[in-house]
Amino acid sequence: MTELRLGIALGGGGARGAAHIGVLNGLEQADIQISMIAGVSAGSVIGAMYSIHGNVEWVEKRFKKILAKNLNSNIFIKYLSSSSKKTSFFGNAKLFFFEHFLQIIRLHKKSIISRNTLRRVISDLVPVKSFEDLKIPLKICATELNTGKNITYDSGDLINAIVKSCSIPGIIEPTIQNKNIIVDGGVYLPIPVQVLEQRCNFTIAVDISQNELSILNKVNMKNLKGRSDLIISNHLKKLLSKQADFIIKPNTLGAHWSSFHKSDLLIREGEIEVQNKIDNLKEILKNKAIR
């Protein structure tokens, strides 16, 4: 009988990362044991939280507690969502001046949100400092912009690795070390299946893409660029998912990466997707184990 070493790759997607909690809960309820986790961006946060105890109930409670504490703490997040609706005169005026303000600061600053701000939130979410303190082995991916290559972290400073993996270019301050500019792992490897292949003989990819595309009612440079980037990202995630032995793709409700107010719904969608696929997954795992 083959010893099953199951690895799960948790993809990036900002607020849509809440769906990972539902997926992990579904797997836990089905008594499917995870041997290793690879995470990128939001997946690195949820992956690290789960790796501490292997207890999804603890993850969900802590996630919701810290989210409630920080949800409205940064005004920029609210306006960066492409789904924001401004219907009043004052709302439209505020949005107009804010967007022009963004265009100006983009020329002179590396980011809107500092690494220290992100680090404080992540430190609240993940009360463990080192990879070596985790119960489940974890790999975290980030992207180095000068070489265009992936960097994988699996030892040492856990919080610093998560911060690097979550540093959305142009939004969150990058990590600059010598000639290296390190940003969000989702730039290069939005679903990190390949980093699990040497240590695991069965891999699951969790794709939390923004897979519902609305009609572009306003055709401008911002929306054209944003939609093009989204299509490229979704296509890359689809290709990377095919490297896995099994794919879990929750309905992410078309949520923007900043739609943290949808967390409860996204958690539930993760659970639903596992429920829909669990019989098939168990059968595949059974056949794998008896070879």
Side-chain angles (χ1 to χ4, degrees):
M1 182 175 290
T2 302
E3 178 188 358
L4 190 61
R5 298 184 302 279
L6 189 154
I8 188 166
L10 305 180
R16 297 190 300 275
H20 288 317
I21 298 174
V23 169
L24 292 170
N25 186 42
L27 296 176
E28 189 175 292
Q29 294 300 316
D31 198 28
I32 292 176
Q33 303 297 315
I34 296 171
S35 303
M36 177 173 284
I37 298 173
V40 59
S41 198
S44 72
V45 178
I46 302 303
M49 294 178 74
Y50 189 70
S51 293
I52 295 172
H53 305 295
N55 183 327
V56 77
E57 182 180 358
W58 177 87
V59 173
E60 184 172 351
K61 286 182 179 179
R62 190 170 188 89
F63 178 82
K64 289 181 177 179
K65 177 182 177 181
I66 303 303
L67 180 63
K69 175 182 173 183
N70 290 278
L71 189 57
N72 298 312
S73 63
N74 197 309
I75 190 171
F76 293 105
I77 295 296
K78 293 186 244 181
Y79 292 100
L80 285 167
S81 173
S82 61
S83 61
S84 295
K85 294 182 180 179
K86 304 292 176 183
T87 55
S88 70
F89 169 82
F90 293 105
N92 281 311
K94 183 186 292 186
L95 181 59
F96 174 83
F97 285 112
F98 181 79
E99 288 183 342
H100 282 71
F101 168 70
L102 277 184
Q103 296 303 320
I104 293 170
I105 66 172
R106 281 169 180 160
L107 297 175
H108 303 284
K109 292 183 61 116
K110 296 188 289 288
S111 64
I112 295 171
I113 302 171
S114 72
R115 289 183 75 253
N116 287 335
T117 298
L118 177 61
R119 187 180 183 91
R120 284 195 294 271
V121 175
I122 290 175
S123 295
D124 280 348
L125 286 165
V126 185
V128 166
K129 295 181 178 180
S130 172
F131 280 89
E132 286 72 24
D133 295 326
L134 299 174
K135 179 179 179 180
I136 300 172
L138 172 69
K139 292 179 179 290
I140 290 176
C141 297
T143 306
E144 203 289 296
L145 290 183
N146 282 325
T147 61
K149 294 182 178 180
N150 173 67
I151 304 174
T152 301
Y153 301 94
D154 58 10
S155 63
D157 190 332
L158 174 63
I159 304 301
N160 195 38
I162 299 173
V163 169
K164 291 175 180 176
S165 187
C166 292
S167 296
I168 303 170
I171 304 298
I172 297 170
E173 180 185 1
T175 298
I176 299 178
Q177 297 175 330
N178 299 320
K179 294 184 178 181
N180 294 326
I181 304 173
I182 305 172
V183 299
D184 195 305
V187 173
Y188 181 85
L189 200 63
I191 303 179
V193 176
Q194 66 187 53
V195 303
L196 295 168
E197 291 174 346
Q198 290 185 344
R199 297 279 301 275
C200 303
N201 55 14
F202 191 91
T203 54
I204 297 175
V206 184
D207 182 355
I208 55 168
S209 301
Q210 185 182 350
N211 41 45
E212 289 184 14
L213 302 182
S214 59
I215 298 297
L216 284 177
N217 293 317
K218 187 175 183 181
V219 180
N220 55 31
M221 289 186 292
K222 175 187 172 185
N223 289 344
L224 289 171
K225 180 66 166 60
R227 177 57 59 86
S228 299
D229 289 344
L230 177 59
I231 291 170
I232 292 169
S233 176
N234 284 353
H235 183 62
L236 176 57
K237 289 176 182 177
K238 185 176 181 179
L239 293 175
L240 292 171
S241 294
K242 290 180 179 179
Q243 298 177 3
D245 297 297
F246 196 85
I247 302 170
I248 297 175
K249 190 173 183 178
N251 179 4
T252 55
L253 310 172
H256 187 262
W257 69 263
S258 64
S259 300
F260 291 97
H261 61 285
K262 294 185 178 180
S263 292
D264 285 342
L265 294 173
L266 289 163
I267 290 171
R268 180 58 185 152
E269 289 298 332
E271 293 171 343
I272 290 170
E273 182 64 7
V274 173
Q275 289 169 4
N276 291 338
K277 290 191 170 183
I278 197 64
D279 290 339
N280 185 26
L281 176 58
K282 284 184 173 180
E283 184 65 24
I284 294 172
L285 291 176
K286 179 181 177 182
N287 292 334
K288 179 78 173 180
I290 62 177
R291 286 181 184 174

